[in-house]
Amino acid sequence: MLVAGEASGDLHGAALCRALRELDPGCRLFGMGGARMTAEGMKLLVDVTANAAVGGSEAFGQVARLYRAYRELRAVLEGAERPAVLVLIDFPEFNLRLARAARRVHIPVVYFIPPQIWAWRGGRVKTIRRFVSLVLAVFPFEAPLYRRAGVPVEFVGHPLLDQLERAPTREAARRRLGLDERTAVVGLLPGSRHQEVVRVLPAMRGAAAEVLRAAPGTRFVLGLAPTIPRDLVAQHLAGGPPVEIVEGQTHAVIRAADLALITSGTVTLEAALLGTPMVVCYRLSLVSELLARLVLRVPWVSLANLTLGRAVVPELYRQTTTSAGLAREALRLLSDAGARDTQRAAFGELAGQLGEPGVGARAARLVLAQAGAA
């Protein structure tokens, strides 16, 4: 059984499903995920990826739906056709509860893309030590942290390394999107959750208008996440400058862009690995932001800065995620080749820290070994 609760988890889970079936064509895959995991042969029992929430207060509205999903999956774990192994993918609030249920019935638990105990809620490592059989770490600094806490762990590398091998070159991406090589292009990545788009896209739209006034001829291309309806994005772009909405080509949008305005999340790491300079922003509710400030153990939110351990890309928070703030940072980067090159140099350093391609196969072998030992 595999369990993912967000669009990024569905993406990484799909790669793992594919690798599992390649190594063991007879293995039966089922669980919670989305369209990508289904396409790779997993029987979908539950899908909450389109309704994932960001922040503490925002998640309250999803509690009933997630509890129903939890009860359904727990029933499978306790049933006659229980899985040989449970694979958890990110989504820690939900998945750690499911790990507890699995261990009660002696099912081994593998955690792929584990909780970021190094960033916040470090006390969860005690729960992980009790209920998780093996952690598959995706960042190199995670393995020693878990090992010191007494948690079995293997560093497999970040799954984006596999996915980005198929990303187009800048030239190919621009041809695919119909963009002239000499045109300044700004990519907009407003997120994969409804709340993210509603909160951030109006500021991006306003920033695009200011950038266009200062740099006429700039093109804007928005990479639409599969969990976001096109009409929602169109609604929040209305009244702004022309923005081309592109579905299913996020990597092409990132690669084609001279600069990306990005909502904090996995996509910041994708942009870094693809070498695209960026400005990162996010907007939580006031309650969620206050909660985050109480529990966060690091000064950054973007995975690029977190992985490198220093401020490489600008981050705008709730109060500073404004059209003027985004436009100011965007225009600074667009006009300063040295600043863009500084980001790219740091991104090259980051890529060298995340391991080598073949992450899916390495993870799949370890999952199958746990299943065989059950």
Side-chain angles (χ1 to χ4, degrees), residues 249-270:
Q249 298 190 66
T250 299
H251 293 161
V253 170
I254 294 171
R255 187 77 97 174
D258 297 292
L259 168 72
L261 304 183
I262 300 182
T263 297
S264 181
T266 304
V267 71
T268 63
L269 197 58
E270 293 178 76

mmCIF file of all heavy atoms in Angstrom, residues 249-270:
data_model
loop_
_atom_site.group_PDB
_atom_site.id
_atom_site.type_symbol
_atom_site.label_atom_id
_atom_site.label_comp_id
_atom_site.label_asym_id
_atom_site.label_seq_id
_atom_site.Cartn_x
_atom_site.Cartn_y
_atom_site.Cartn_z
ATOM 1 N N GLN A 249 2.964 21.142 -18.535
ATOM 2 C CA GLN A 249 4.317 21.415 -19.025
ATOM 3 C C GLN A 249 5.081 22.301 -18.042
ATOM 4 O O GLN A 249 5.780 23.234 -18.448
ATOM 5 C CB GLN A 249 4.263 22.085 -20.398
ATOM 6 C CG GLN A 249 3.617 21.253 -21.488
ATOM 7 C CD GLN A 249 3.809 21.866 -22.863
ATOM 8 O OE1 GLN A 249 4.924 21.954 -23.368
ATOM 9 N NE2 GLN A 249 2.725 22.298 -23.469
ATOM 10 N N THR A 250 4.978 21.988 -16.772
ATOM 11 C CA THR A 250 5.617 22.816 -15.758
ATOM 12 C C THR A 250 7.113 22.925 -15.986
ATOM 13 O O THR A 250 7.694 24.019 -15.880
ATOM 14 C CB THR A 250 5.343 22.241 -14.352
ATOM 15 O OG1 THR A 250 3.934 22.250 -14.119
ATOM 16 C CG2 THR A 250 6.026 23.073 -13.282
ATOM 17 N N HIS A 251 7.765 21.827 -16.318
ATOM 18 C CA HIS A 251 9.213 21.865 -16.508
ATOM 19 C C HIS A 251 9.584 22.703 -17.722
ATOM 20 O O HIS A 251 10.610 23.404 -17.706
ATOM 21 C CB HIS A 251 9.771 20.456 -16.644
ATOM 22 C CG HIS A 251 9.658 19.652 -15.380
ATOM 23 N ND1 HIS A 251 9.733 18.281 -15.346
ATOM 24 C CD2 HIS A 251 9.480 20.048 -14.089
ATOM 25 C CE1 HIS A 251 9.592 17.870 -14.091
ATOM 26 N NE2 HIS A 251 9.441 18.920 -13.322
ATOM 27 N N ALA A 252 8.772 22.666 -18.759
ATOM 28 C CA ALA A 252 9.036 23.507 -19.926
ATOM 29 C C ALA A 252 8.885 24.983 -19.566
ATOM 30 O O ALA A 252 9.680 25.823 -19.996
ATOM 31 C CB ALA A 252 8.096 23.135 -21.073
ATOM 32 N N VAL A 253 7.872 25.310 -18.788
ATOM 33 C CA VAL A 253 7.664 26.699 -18.368
ATOM 34 C C VAL A 253 8.861 27.181 -17.555
ATOM 35 O O VAL A 253 9.392 28.279 -17.782
ATOM 36 C CB VAL A 253 6.364 26.836 -17.550
ATOM 37 C CG1 VAL A 253 6.270 28.215 -16.899
ATOM 38 C CG2 VAL A 253 5.153 26.588 -18.439
ATOM 39 N N ILE A 254 9.309 26.368 -16.607
ATOM 40 C CA ILE A 254 10.444 26.759 -15.769
ATOM 41 C C ILE A 254 11.700 26.924 -16.614
ATOM 42 O O ILE A 254 12.431 27.914 -16.491
ATOM 43 C CB ILE A 254 10.671 25.727 -14.652
ATOM 44 C CG1 ILE A 254 9.490 25.715 -13.676
ATOM 45 C CG2 ILE A 254 11.964 26.019 -13.898
ATOM 46 C CD1 ILE A 254 9.534 24.583 -12.669
ATOM 47 N N ARG A 255 11.959 25.954 -17.461
ATOM 48 C CA ARG A 255 13.192 25.980 -18.252
ATOM 49 C C ARG A 255 13.198 27.151 -19.245
ATOM 50 O O ARG A 255 14.241 27.759 -19.493
ATOM 51 C CB ARG A 255 13.353 24.662 -19.003
ATOM 52 C CG ARG A 255 14.675 24.531 -19.717
ATOM 53 C CD ARG A 255 15.805 24.200 -18.757
ATOM 54 N NE ARG A 255 16.047 22.774 -18.746
ATOM 55 C CZ ARG A 255 17.036 22.182 -18.092
ATOM 56 N NH1 ARG A 255 17.869 22.910 -17.390
ATOM 57 N NH2 ARG A 255 17.195 20.881 -18.108
ATOM 58 N N ALA A 256 12.033 27.490 -19.787
ATOM 59 C CA ALA A 256 11.962 28.563 -20.781
ATOM 60 C C ALA A 256 12.097 29.940 -20.150
ATOM 61 O O ALA A 256 12.450 30.913 -20.836
ATOM 62 C CB ALA A 256 10.643 28.477 -21.549
ATOM 63 N N ALA A 257 11.814 30.061 -18.851
ATOM 64 C CA ALA A 257 11.749 31.366 -18.195
ATOM 65 C C ALA A 257 13.133 31.916 -17.864
ATOM 66 O O ALA A 257 14.048 31.179 -17.500
ATOM 67 C CB ALA A 257 10.914 31.264 -16.923
ATOM 68 N N ASP A 258 13.276 33.234 -17.994
ATOM 69 C CA ASP A 258 14.470 33.912 -17.495
ATOM 70 C C ASP A 258 14.394 34.072 -15.982
ATOM 71 O O ASP A 258 15.415 34.195 -15.308
ATOM 72 C CB ASP A 258 14.575 35.296 -18.141
ATOM 73 C CG ASP A 258 14.758 35.222 -19.645
ATOM 74 O OD1 ASP A 258 15.818 34.763 -20.094
ATOM 75 O OD2 ASP A 258 13.816 35.602 -20.377
ATOM 76 N N LEU A 259 13.169 34.082 -15.492
ATOM 77 C CA LEU A 259 12.905 34.277 -14.070
ATOM 78 C C LEU A 259 11.555 33.670 -13.753
ATOM 79 O O LEU A 259 10.637 33.723 -14.580
ATOM 80 C CB LEU A 259 12.879 35.782 -13.742
ATOM 81 C CG LEU A 259 12.338 36.191 -12.368
ATOM 82 C CD1 LEU A 259 13.335 35.812 -11.287
ATOM 83 C CD2 LEU A 259 12.037 37.677 -12.328
ATOM 84 N N ALA A 260 11.419 33.085 -12.561
ATOM 85 C CA ALA A 260 10.136 32.513 -12.149
ATOM 86 C C ALA A 260 9.684 33.138 -10.836
ATOM 87 O O ALA A 260 10.491 33.339 -9.920
ATOM 88 C CB ALA A 260 10.250 31.000 -11.990
ATOM 89 N N LEU A 261 8.390 33.455 -10.761
ATOM 90 C CA LEU A 261 7.745 33.837 -9.512
ATOM 91 C C LEU A 261 7.021 32.603 -9.014
ATOM 92 O O LEU A 261 6.119 32.085 -9.689
ATOM 93 C CB LEU A 261 6.758 34.995 -9.731
ATOM 94 C CG LEU A 261 7.317 36.258 -10.378
ATOM 95 C CD1 LEU A 261 6.236 37.331 -10.465
ATOM 96 C CD2 LEU A 261 8.533 36.780 -9.628
ATOM 97 N N ILE A 262 7.389 32.107 -7.834
ATOM 98 C CA ILE A 262 7.002 30.766 -7.414
ATOM 99 C C ILE A 262 6.436 30.764 -6.003
ATOM 100 O O ILE A 262 7.016 31.351 -5.083
ATOM 101 C CB ILE A 262 8.218 29.807 -7.460
ATOM 102 C CG1 ILE A 262 8.782 29.732 -8.875
ATOM 103 C CG2 ILE A 262 7.849 28.432 -6.968
ATOM 104 C CD1 ILE A 262 9.952 28.781 -9.009
ATOM 105 N N THR A 263 5.311 30.079 -5.816
ATOM 106 C CA THR A 263 4.799 29.822 -4.473
ATOM 107 C C THR A 263 5.657 28.738 -3.827
ATOM 108 O O THR A 263 5.973 27.726 -4.454
ATOM 109 C CB THR A 263 3.334 29.356 -4.538
ATOM 110 O OG1 THR A 263 2.546 30.407 -5.094
ATOM 111 C CG2 THR A 263 2.805 29.020 -3.155
ATOM 112 N N SER A 264 6.016 28.937 -2.572
ATOM 113 C CA SER A 264 6.906 28.017 -1.886
ATOM 114 C C SER A 264 6.365 26.592 -1.924
ATOM 115 O O SER A 264 5.187 26.346 -1.699
ATOM 116 C CB SER A 264 7.075 28.457 -0.427
ATOM 117 O OG SER A 264 7.951 27.584 0.251
ATOM 118 N N GLY A 265 7.255 25.642 -2.216
ATOM 119 C CA GLY A 265 6.887 24.233 -2.287
ATOM 120 C C GLY A 265 7.951 23.470 -3.050
ATOM 121 O O GLY A 265 9.044 23.994 -3.326
ATOM 122 N N THR A 266 7.641 22.243 -3.429
ATOM 123 C CA THR A 266 8.603 21.405 -4.150
ATOM 124 C C THR A 266 9.060 22.052 -5.448
ATOM 125 O O THR A 266 10.192 21.851 -5.897
ATOM 126 C CB THR A 266 7.982 20.031 -4.449
ATOM 127 O OG1 THR A 266 7.540 19.446 -3.226
ATOM 128 C CG2 THR A 266 8.993 19.098 -5.098
ATOM 129 N N VAL A 267 8.202 22.855 -6.054
ATOM 130 C CA VAL A 267 8.540 23.464 -7.340
ATOM 131 C C VAL A 267 9.744 24.400 -7.215
ATOM 132 O O VAL A 267 10.455 24.623 -8.196
ATOM 133 C CB VAL A 267 7.313 24.199 -7.937
ATOM 134 C CG1 VAL A 267 6.989 25.451 -7.156
ATOM 135 C CG2 VAL A 267 7.520 24.502 -9.412
ATOM 136 N N THR A 268 10.025 24.926 -6.026
ATOM 137 C CA THR A 268 11.225 25.753 -5.873
ATOM 138 C C THR A 268 12.481 24.915 -6.071
ATOM 139 O O THR A 268 13.474 25.396 -6.626
ATOM 140 C CB THR A 268 11.268 26.437 -4.495
ATOM 141 O OG1 THR A 268 11.335 25.459 -3.454
ATOM 142 C CG2 THR A 268 10.042 27.312 -4.279
ATOM 143 N N LEU A 269 12.440 23.669 -5.625
ATOM 144 C CA LEU A 269 13.579 22.779 -5.833
ATOM 145 C C LEU A 269 13.687 22.400 -7.311
ATOM 146 O O LEU A 269 14.796 22.300 -7.858
ATOM 147 C CB LEU A 269 13.420 21.530 -4.967
ATOM 148 C CG LEU A 269 14.668 20.684 -4.746
ATOM 149 C CD1 LEU A 269 15.777 21.506 -4.105
ATOM 150 C CD2 LEU A 269 14.337 19.479 -3.876
ATOM 151 N N GLU A 270 12.545 22.205 -7.975
ATOM 152 C CA GLU A 270 12.566 21.926 -9.411
ATOM 153 C C GLU A 270 13.204 23.070 -10.176
ATOM 154 O O GLU A 270 14.040 22.851 -11.060
ATOM 155 C CB GLU A 270 11.137 21.692 -9.913
ATOM 156 C CG GLU A 270 10.486 20.435 -9.364
ATOM 157 C CD GLU A 270 9.054 20.284 -9.850
ATOM 158 O OE1 GLU A 270 8.862 19.899 -11.014
ATOM 159 O OE2 GLU A 270 8.127 20.559 -9.069
#
